[in-house]
Amino acid sequence: MAETAVKPLVGIVMGSDSDMPVMAKAAEILEELGISYEMTIISAHREPDVFFAYAKSAEEKGFKVIIAGAGMAAHLPGMCAAIFPMPVIGIPMHTTSLGGRDSLYSIVQMPSGIPVATVAINGGANAGLLAAKILATSDEALLQKLKDYSAKLKSQVEAKDARLKEVGYKAYMAEQKK
Ligand code: RP5
C-alpha cells in the first residue's frame, strides 16, 4: 500500500529531503505490511508554524504513531512527542560532522515525561517495524503478517548457512563479491 487516500495510520515526517533515503526504508516496510501512511517534510527550525499545525492536527487526522527523522540538533521527534499524545518513534540521521551522535543524543535523551522510542542511527526499517508492532497490539491480521516477516528473516539466514555448508567459506565470499 503506497501513500494513499486511505486514512493514514502512521505519519512519517522528516526535517529535510536529505533524510529521504532513510525515511523511505520505513515507508517500504509499512507498504510491505499494508499499513497506510502519510509522508511529510517539515523543518521544526525553519518553519515552526507549519510544524505546530502538523503536530496539532496529527491525532485528528487519525495517526496512531508518528515516525520522525531528523539530523544534527534534531528537535523534530521530541517536539512531535510533546504535542502528539500517542507513540513517537525517532530516527537519528547520520551526519558528516559528528557521525550521527549529535542526532542520536538529541533524540534519545528526552527529559522524563516525554518519551521518544529511538531506533539506531539511520534505522529507518526498524522504525517502520516498530510502528507496525505497536499497531499490531490491536490488529490480529497485522500481527500475523509480522510473524510471517520474522519467519522470512529466519529462513533467509538458514538458506545462507546451508549455502555456506555446501560450498565452503571461500566460494561463499567469492559469490558475495559478484
Ligand atoms: C535537519 O537538519 C534535517 O533533519 C537534516 O537531517 C539536517 C540537515 O538538513 P539539510 O541542511 O540537508 O536540509 O533539520
Side-chain angles (χ1 to χ4, degrees):
M1 188 183 300
E3 194 173 9
T4 61
V6 177
K7 212 175 173 187
L9 290 175
V10 179
I12 297 179
V13 62
M14 67 203 86
S16 169
D17 62 352
S18 61
D19 305 328
M20 187 71 78
V22 173
M23 303 310 285
K25 299 284 180 197
E28 282 165 17
I29 291 287
L30 297 182
E31 286 180 26
E32 186 175 340
L33 295 169
I35 298 169
S36 58
Y37 66 91
E38 177 197 275
M39 192 183 256
T40 309
I41 302 167
I42 298 179
S43 171
H45 307 284
R46 295 166 179 155
E47 43 174 10
D49 50 338
V50 177
F51 165 74
F52 279 112
Y54 171 84
K56 282 182 185 169
S57 64
E59 182 182 2
E60 200 179 302
K61 277 196 284 191
F63 292 177
K64 302 299 178 206
V65 184
I66 290 178
I67 299 173
M72 304 173 79
H75 297 125
L76 183 65
M79 286 305 293
C80 283
I83 297 169
F84 180 65
M86 284 171 273
V88 174
I89 300 168
I91 310 178
M93 294 297 141
H94 185 267
T95 57
T96 47
S97 44
L98 294 174
R101 290 171 193 80
D102 41 355
S103 325
L104 174 65
Y105 293 163
S106 297
I107 296 173
V108 79
Q109 285 292 88
M110 284 299 291
S112 182
I114 315 289
V116 172
T118 309
V119 296
I121 295 169
N122 282 0
N126 268 2
L129 284 165
L130 187 53
K133 283 175 184 249
I134 290 167
L135 295 171
T137 58
S138 60
D139 183 334
E140 282 291 327
L142 179 56
L143 183 59
Q144 187 55 52
K145 284 184 191 174
L146 281 165
K147 288 178 181 176
D148 294 345
Y149 182 90
S150 296
K152 188 176 79 179
L153 293 184
K154 181 182 175 190
S155 63
Q156 284 170 350
V157 178
E158 286 171 343
K160 287 176 183 178
D161 185 55
R163 184 69 185 154
L164 172 63
K165 299 285 187 304
E166 190 183 336
V167 300
Y169 81 90
K170 287 178 186 165
Y172 191 96
M173 284 173 70
E175 285 176 4
Q176 280 185 312
K177 283 177 191 156
K178 279 181 196 164

